[in-house]
Amino acid sequence: MQKTLSVIGLGKLGLGMAACLADKGHYVIGVDIDKKVIDAVNAGESPLYEPVLSDLIERSRGRLIATDDYEKAVKQSSVIFIFVGTPSEQDGGFSTRYIAPVAAEIGKHLKQTADFKVIALRSTILPGTTERVVKPILEETSGKLCGRDFGLCYNPEILALGSVIRDFLNPDVVTIGESDKVSGDMLADIYTATCENNPPIVRTSLTNAEIAKISLNVFLTVKMSFANTIAEICEKVPGGDVDKVSEILGCDRRIGRKFLTGATRYGGPCFPRDTKAFIAFTRQIGCQALLANAADQVNDLQNGRIIETIIQKVGPLKGKQVALLGLTYKPDTDIVLESAALGVTQIFVQEGALLKVFDPAGIENTRQVLPGNSIEYTESIEQCLRDTELCIVLTPWKEFKQLTPQDFIREMKTPVILDCWRLYNNKDFRDGVDYIALGVEGSRPC
Ligand SMILES: NC(=O)c1ccc[n+]([C@@H]2O[C@H](COP(=O)([O-])OP(=O)(O)OC[C@H]3O[C@@H](n4cnc5c(N)ncnc54)[C@H](O)[C@@H]3O)[C@@H](O)[C@H]2O)c1
């Protein structure tokens, strides 16, 4: 049955969710404090880069409205999802400085309503936050009792930038931490009707849902760092090839192939900071997060591994004309936060290399973080490669995968290529180019 729902916080994640719910026929009130976001959504446009999102917003006009009016959102909706940011604190934990005022606003208007509404928190938080921070604010400001007069759920988002829409509609699991059964039922009904893949819906306490959310991302960082360690081993053992090793490991159903690629460091807005938050949280409660710590440390070594490989191949970087393909932390996003490219670029600049960079979506965001004259931002792959002596492929965009040896030979002064993601086939990249694949010792047998 179609409902009126609210999503508070129309950011990288919240807007995708709001658009999907509206596309499935619900009437969705999106609340944000950013006027640019509100205006864009109401004009049927996406204010941010995310595949498919623009189409959904356009298609949902009339069913998706954006506003800064909390009263309207709370009064009209049966479920209010909170999806505001939770920036990192100095000690690595997550701040609730955006969640707390949102909860207070919701509580204020909840006071004026008679019907039972559910508040579902979706932001990433440390375990205990829903019960200890959000619930008391809602109860105090509304004068109502959680579980009796209104419901509270922790319903974490487990999706990836670049595939927000697909992941939201096809999740591996829907996690519902609930204050009471009625609230859990209301959320479960929404997901049953919205998801296209009939996912398992796991219902539990608020705390277990919170621990599961943060643990999931940390498990993936451990897996990625382990794969990067295997990649480094393969580079040092004659005949080693991380793709073959990962293929074998990945066939084991207890392990699985995903996140075992062995390439650059993990980056973006979630993996590094969730791991640090997990470490901070375990410290607070007197546990030791040895594996999370190790994943973090291995991750910090990855840019150095790339630079070392380059110096071994081409010698000192000073004065070298270098093309760098890929700035974002992964394809299909414009986010460069904590990306391998940011760190590698900074080292190149410090070492005095003459650097040209290109990315299908991440140029503007990189320019904001690394302004100045030491980097030439280019508008095409060809322009980036032109007259350079070395090319490093740092993000596996499909635009880069399509390149042939001729593309490099035609533009570059000396076509030396370091492929961090092994996008190219060694057989094709043998003649006329000097091709090095990270995670592989020497050349692969053709
Ligand atoms: N980015 C990811 O890949 C990812 C994945 C899973 C979970 N998360 C978590 O989801 C949460 C949201 O992340 P995001 O990347 O969408 O954040 P974001 O910064 O892109 O968006 C947050 C939005 O909330 C709005 N906002 C702030 N205060 C507000 C208020 N008082 N009222 C209404 N709107 C307000 C901001 O204007 C912004 O549009 C975070 O906790 C994040 O850790 C992120």
Side-chain angles (χ1 to χ4, degrees):
M1 205 180 69
Q2 312 316 356
K3 298 177 164 47
T4 299
L5 308 168
S6 287
V7 178
I8 318 276
L10 298 176
K12 296 184 285 295
L13 278 288
L15 184 54
M17 177 191 191
C20 285
L21 291 171
D23 195 51
K24 291 290 175 184
H26 297 294
Y27 179 67
V28 181
I29 305 170
V31 181
D32 207 289
I33 47 172
D34 187 335
K35 191 169 170 341
K36 283 202 288 289
V37 171
I38 295 171
D39 290 346
V41 174
N42 288 336
E45 290 162 10
S46 171
L48 47 92
Y49 183 98
E50 176 64 40
V52 195
L53 183 58
S54 301
D55 296 346
L56 284 198
I57 294 175
E58 164 79 55
R59 219 157 65 195
S60 306
R61 285 182 91 166
R63 282 190 312 279
L64 171 62
I65 61 133
T67 176
D68 58 1
D69 184 352
Y70 271 87
E71 185 174 0
K72 177 185 166 109
V74 175
K75 283 198 173 152
Q76 294 189 9
S77 309
S78 53
V79 180
I80 300 139
F81 294 97
I82 303 178
F83 226 147
V84 293
T86 45
S88 299
E89 299 271 31
Q90 280 268 302
D91 69 352
F94 298 123
S95 163
T96 53
R97 68 175 182 268
Y98 296 122
I99 291 180
V102 168
E105 275 294 320
I106 295 172
K108 193 169 93 189
H109 299 292
L110 211 53
K111 197 175 190 157
Q112 322 293 333
T113 63
D115 43 339
F116 187 92
K117 294 174 188 292
V118 176
I119 292 87
L121 181 61
R122 288 185 56 75
S123 309
T124 305
I125 48 167
L126 288 184
T129 303
T130 316
E131 192 81 43
R132 285 205 308 269
V133 178
V134 181
K135 183 171 134 182
I137 297 176
L138 285 168
E139 288 189 329
E140 254 168 55
T141 49
S142 68
K144 295 186 175 198
L145 194 65
C146 177
R148 188 191 68 188
D149 306 322
F150 69 90
L152 180 60
C153 291
Y154 183 58
N155 169 221
E157 188 56 272
I158 300 171
L159 40 73
L161 294 176
S163 54
V164 166
I165 307 298
R166 192 186 61 212
D167 293 354
F168 181 78
L169 296 173
N170 302 279
D172 287 342
V173 61
V174 172
T175 306
I176 302 177
E178 58 198 47
S179 62
D180 60 283
K181 184 173 178 317
V182 174
S183 304
D185 286 347
M186 281 169 74
L187 279 202
D189 283 350
I190 293 171
Y191 284 102
T192 304
T194 307
C195 296
E196 294 175 350
N197 63 338
N198 193 24
I201 297 180
V202 180
R203 294 174 56 176
T204 180
S205 64
L206 296 168
T207 310
N208 283 334
E210 292 169 333
I211 298 172
K213 160 66 189 168
I214 186 115
S215 307
L216 190 140
N217 269 1
V218 175
F219 188 88
L220 295 178
T221 62
V222 170
K223 204 172 173 189
M224 285 185 278
S225 278
F226 185 69
N228 282 343
T229 303
I230 297 172
E232 192 177 353
I233 291 169
C234 288
E235 284 158 21
K236 296 196 164 135
V237 177
D241 183 340
V242 67
D243 284 335
K244 275 293 151 205
V245 177
S246 293
E247 185 185 340
I248 296 162
L249 294 183
C251 285
D252 188 311
R253 276 168 294 174
R254 294 167 302 178
I255 298 176
R257 177 67 183 79
K258 287 186 177 166
F259 288 83
L260 265 191
T261 300
T264 59
R265 60 176 270 120
Y266 55 76
C270 290
F271 288 128
R273 85 180 192 110
D274 287 6
T275 307
K276 287 189 167 62
F278 185 86
I279 294 166
F281 174 68
T282 49
R283 204 181 297 126
Q284 271 172 29
I285 58 167
C287 288
Q288 288 198 57
L290 297 178
L291 284 177
N293 260 313
D296 196 37
Q297 286 166 20
V298 170
N299 203 43
D300 285 345
L301 298 175
Q302 297 314 304
N303 286 345
R305 189 176 127 231
I306 293 172
I307 298 290
E308 202 179 296
T309 309
I310 293 167
I311 292 176
Q312 267 174 17
K313 183 74 193 171
V314 300
L317 300 175
K318 192 165 173 56
K320 277 265 165 345
Q321 291 163 306
V322 181
L324 203 149
L325 293 181
L327 296 166
T328 53
Y329 81 99
K330 66 174 191 173
D332 295 325
T333 177
D334 61 354
I335 294 174
V336 298
L337 186 74
E338 300 248 12
S339 74
L342 274 196
V344 169
T345 302
Q346 279 164 319
I347 298 172
F348 271 108
V349 170
Q350 279 159 18
E351 297 293 317
L354 305 170
L355 200 58
K356 293 210 266 177
V357 300
F358 175 75
D359 188 277
I363 296 270
E364 278 320 308
N365 285 341
T366 310
R367 214 196 290 268
Q368 281 173 26
V369 196
L370 301 175
N373 309 326
S374 40
I375 304 163
E376 183 181 340
Y377 292 95
T378 65
E379 285 174 9
S380 67
I381 297 173
E382 292 74 19
Q383 201 186 338
C384 183
L385 294 177
R386 197 157 303 147
D387 297 328
T388 54
E389 304 162 87
L390 166 70
C391 170
I392 308 153
V393 184
L394 275 165
T395 316
W397 282 93
K398 66 176 182 317
E399 287 83 345
F400 304 154
K401 195 169 169 49
Q402 288 159 1
L403 295 173
T404 65
Q406 287 314 314
D407 294 318
F408 292 95
I409 293 166
R410 197 175 48 245
E411 301 294 347
M412 294 178 72
K413 213 188 285 175
T414 52
V416 181
I417 305 158
L418 173 65
D419 177 1
C420 298
W421 289 86
R422 300 172 304 282
L423 300 183
Y424 308 116
N425 187 331
N426 227 45
K427 190 153 76 78
D428 302 333
F429 275 68
R430 212 170 25 171
D431 298 328
V433 291
D434 195 348
Y435 177 66
I436 313 145
L438 206 65
V440 179
E441 191 275 333
S443 272
R444 276 178 179 160
C446 299

